[in-house]
Amino acid sequence: MIVRCVSTSTAIYLLFTARVRLLDIQVFTLIFVILVFNPIWKVHLGHDFWRVVDGVTAGLYFWTFATLKIKDD
């Protein structure tokens, strides 16, 4: 439950604070993360598939933060 809350809140924060600096694909993927990780309506996936989703989400966050850091410089 903590992972769901942190992932959802991080995606919402990124969307609202850096919307103009994000790429369109990043916006769509962050919306997807919000829908998949939301703590209200749980998405039931297999345990192994959740590991893949967690890894892809972590990669997305690193890519998004790196993109924002490069645009800040």
Side-chain angles (χ1 to χ4, degrees):
M1 184 61 123
I2 292 174
V3 172
R4 287 180 182 267
C5 292
V6 170
S7 295
T8 303
S9 60
T10 303
I12 291 171
Y13 175 78
L14 284 172
L15 280 176
F16 283 109
T17 60
R19 169 62 181 101
V20 294
R21 298 184 316 189
L22 292 173
L23 301 172
D24 288 339
I25 188 72
Q26 289 172 322
V27 171
F28 291 122
T29 54
L30 287 172
I31 292 171
F32 182 74
V33 167
I34 291 169
L35 294 174
V36 170
F37 280 95
N38 74 74
I40 298 168
W41 297 287
K42 294 182 180 179
V43 176
H44 298 286
L45 302 173
H47 183 69
D48 293 333
F49 193 68
W50 268 115
R51 287 184 180 191
V52 172
V53 171
D54 290 342
V56 169
T57 303
L60 169 69
Y61 284 147
F62 284 123
W63 175 51
T64 302
F65 285 120
T67 303
L68 292 175
K69 179 66 177 156
I70 290 170
K71 288 185 179 182
D72 282 344
D73 291 339

